[in-house]
Amino acid sequence: MRYLKKIGLLIDSIFENAGLLALLSLVVIVTMQVFTRKLFNFVFFWSEEVTLLLLGWLAFMGIALGFRENILHPHGTNHE
């Protein structure tokens, strides 16, 4: 049973770190996109697609973390 808890905590920490990395990447890419568009009149062709993918994954990860932390509840109430 202890091994399952350790594995669960490891998966949780990996999931949280992936969410933080996705958020940081999203902020960096959008900031880079804005600056290159305004200053150099140039946009990286991949930046919009990556931003949309990161935003979608970040939303799903946020929902999953919210359910895990009991922030979100299926019936719209917080049962602690």
Side-chain angles (χ1 to χ4, degrees):
M1 192 66 170
R2 284 186 282 167
Y3 297 115
L4 288 177
K5 285 186 180 183
K6 286 183 181 181
I7 291 172
L9 289 175
L10 177 68
I11 291 171
D12 285 346
S13 67
I14 290 171
F15 198 64
E16 286 179 3
N17 289 333
L20 289 174
L21 184 63
L23 180 63
L24 180 65
S25 301
L26 183 70
V27 169
V28 167
I29 291 171
V30 169
T31 304
M32 179 184 64
Q33 184 180 11
V34 168
F35 279 122
T36 57
R37 179 176 289 162
K38 294 295 181 185
L39 295 177
F40 304 117
N41 201 17
F42 170 77
V43 178
F44 293 104
F45 67 91
W46 50 267
S47 61
E48 291 184 30
E49 288 82 9
V50 172
T51 302
L52 287 173
L53 285 171
L54 284 174
L55 186 62
W57 278 103
L58 192 60
F60 286 121
M61 283 190 278
I63 290 169
L65 289 172
F67 272 107
R68 190 197 73 208
E69 295 292 329
N70 203 14
I71 296 171
L72 300 172
H73 193 269
H75 301 293
T77 60
N78 190 3
H79 293 113
E80 292 182 2

